[in-house]
Amino acid sequence: MKIVEQIKQPIAYEMELFEQKFQLSMASKVALLNRITHYIVNRKGKQMRPMFVFLVSKMVSNGEVSDRTYRGASVIELIHTATLVHDDVVDDSNMRRGFFSVNALWKNKIAVLIGDYLLSKGLLLSIDNNDFDLLKIISIAVREMSEGELLQIEKARKLDITEDIYYEIIRQKTATLIAACCSLGAASVKPESTDVEVMRKFGELIGMAFQIKDDLFDYGDTQIGKPTGIDIKEQKMTLPLIYVLNQASKKDKNWLINSIKNHNKDTKRVKEVIAFVKNNGGLDYAINKMKQFQTEALQILQNYPESDYKNSLKLMVNYVIERKK
């Protein structure tokens, strides 16, 4: 059995019902909108975020979910989808998960409007049901994701990024949404309980490990849908590179910065940078940090009684750092 199917097993019923509710939550009177949202729904990814919502909800409440849990999962998925549609416009990307992106098929203007529509649908789903505590969790996540992206852009211009700033960027950009999924799961069944904050921290730790794993793919030899060296070409400073920059001699440091600033489109030079990072312990350092976040996340789970949901969350934490793409 595939690992994702194994993780999903204890919440298979909830995920099936969620998909029906999620499609309904996207519905509109405008035919064009329905055509595009239908296209999006049929090309969905693994749906890790709703899975986090349901697994956490059931783990903290001895197997309970509520209507709020389904709404929380739908809101997260609506907002996540909106950010993906907007990201493809910003990155001028024509592909998403091996299919044409919305902007490639319907152009940027429509893609931006679709993203806005999905965002407003998510917000209204919470407001219409007085889920203001859930709405607050999600709104903070959206704000932090925007701040993280802008901080990364600002730092890419100067290439003056420290390890601490890197952690802040990935915490906001990636970890904050997974943290929101986990705290939403807890808040949907046990509002105002300590579980809400504990699970937020759990999700944040997984998100940090997830992003470092993503950054490591840039140095990998396997094909994972994105070619190696793409972060360097985009002048993105990731943990392996930051570590090596901080350890390098002045001469090597100047060569690295010059390569990233002025020769980042030169394939041979990018390969040399990748080799330098590998040979100087950049990957090993990043892998160790990723494993630290994984260990901390697993320690949080130890405080909860044994259950299928807890086991699935453990599998999820391990899957995040062992995945091949």
Side-chain angles (χ1 to χ4, degrees):
M1 189 190 292
K2 275 189 173 172
I3 180 88
V4 177
E5 291 308 311
Q6 215 177 323
I7 292 167
K8 211 186 261 193
Q9 227 178 353
I11 50 163
Y13 170 76
E14 284 80 9
M15 287 300 290
E16 212 170 297
L17 190 53
F18 160 73
E19 287 200 19
Q20 295 165 18
K21 288 174 181 276
F22 181 59
Q23 289 191 19
L24 286 173
S25 68
M26 279 191 173
S28 156
K29 294 190 179 79
V30 179
L32 175 63
L33 252 171
N34 286 334
R35 199 154 68 242
I36 298 170
T37 53
H38 180 73
Y39 178 82
I40 292 169
V41 167
N42 285 343
R43 281 148 194 83
K44 62 184 181 296
K46 299 185 194 78
Q47 293 192 306
M48 304 286 277
R49 286 154 193 86
M51 282 158 68
F52 272 123
V53 176
F54 288 114
L55 286 170
V56 167
S57 166
K58 296 193 95 170
M59 181 185 74
V60 303
S61 67
N62 301 322
E64 294 297 313
V65 294
S66 65
D67 285 345
R68 273 163 55 87
T69 317
Y70 285 99
R71 289 197 295 271
S74 292
V75 173
I76 279 283
E77 198 65 350
L78 282 164
I79 286 173
H80 174 59
T81 309
T83 60
L84 295 184
V85 172
H86 282 164
D87 279 352
D88 288 339
V89 174
V90 171
D91 297 338
D92 203 13
S93 173
N94 290 325
M95 301 299 285
R96 165 71 60 185
R97 299 178 181 133
F99 295 97
F100 284 117
S101 57
V102 174
N103 50 302
L105 292 173
W106 285 282
K107 300 289 180 279
N108 283 352
K109 185 176 180 178
I110 286 178
V112 170
L113 292 169
I114 288 287
D116 292 346
Y117 173 78
L118 295 174
L119 193 62
S120 66
K121 272 287 197 184
L123 300 177
L124 283 168
L125 186 59
S126 293
I127 291 165
D128 290 346
N129 292 284
N130 294 328
D131 296 330
F132 295 111
D133 56 335
L134 306 187
L135 183 59
K136 185 173 182 182
I137 291 169
I138 292 152
S139 301
I140 290 169
V142 173
R143 182 195 70 201
E144 294 212 321
M145 283 155 67
S146 310
E147 285 178 352
E149 286 286 358
L150 288 163
L151 180 60
Q152 185 170 46
I153 291 165
E154 180 193 349
K155 293 298 172 185
R157 287 178 179 164
K158 297 179 188 167
L159 298 186
D160 63 343
I161 184 166
T162 62
E163 200 173 315
D164 285 345
I165 290 172
Y166 165 79
Y167 291 136
E168 185 55 20
I169 288 170
I170 68 167
R171 187 190 68 72
Q172 291 186 315
K173 229 185 78 162
T174 305
T176 192
L177 191 63
I178 298 175
C181 295
C182 295
S183 69
L184 260 183
S188 71
V189 285
K190 291 175 80 178
E192 296 180 27
S193 66
T194 52
D195 292 311
V196 178
E197 175 52 27
V198 171
M199 285 293 109
R200 188 202 63 76
K201 185 65 187 167
F202 168 74
E204 184 174 283
L205 290 163
I206 297 176
M208 301 292 276
F210 182 93
Q211 187 57 54
I212 295 173
K213 178 68 174 183
D214 247 23
D215 294 345
L216 285 164
F217 283 139
D218 206 46
Y219 296 88
D221 305 311
T222 50
Q223 199 59 27
I224 51 105
K226 76 169 188 176
T228 56
I230 206 141
D231 289 337
I232 293 165
K233 286 175 186 145
E234 292 176 359
Q235 299 189 350
K236 278 183 188 161
M237 302 285 281
T238 59
L239 190 55
L241 184 59
I242 292 163
Y243 171 77
V244 169
L245 267 174
N246 290 338
Q247 305 300 314
S249 67
K250 195 162 191 238
K251 180 169 163 268
D252 286 339
K253 194 171 185 172
N254 289 340
W255 174 78
L256 278 168
I257 288 178
N258 184 31
S259 302
I260 295 156
K261 267 193 169 164
N262 304 315
H263 304 281
N264 58 341
K265 302 285 186 276
D266 176 343
T267 309
K268 182 171 171 285
R269 188 75 168 255
V270 168
K271 277 186 178 160
E272 286 171 8
V273 171
I274 288 173
F276 187 88
V277 170
K278 282 182 176 176
N279 295 336
N280 285 275
L283 297 199
D284 294 338
Y285 182 79
I287 288 166
N288 281 335
K289 284 288 176 190
M290 175 180 76
K291 287 186 171 167
Q292 279 176 25
F293 286 120
Q294 176 203 23
T295 304
E296 281 184 60
L298 290 171
Q299 277 171 345
I300 288 176
L301 289 181
Q302 283 178 354
N303 301 321
Y304 287 90
E306 291 306 314
S307 67
D308 289 346
Y309 320 114
K310 177 177 164 176
N311 290 338
S312 278
L313 284 167
K314 277 188 198 167
L315 276 176
M316 189 88 103
V317 175
N318 295 329
Y319 168 72
V320 156
I321 74 159
E322 286 159 13
R323 67 202 161 98
K324 298 288 183 279
K325 60 178 180 177

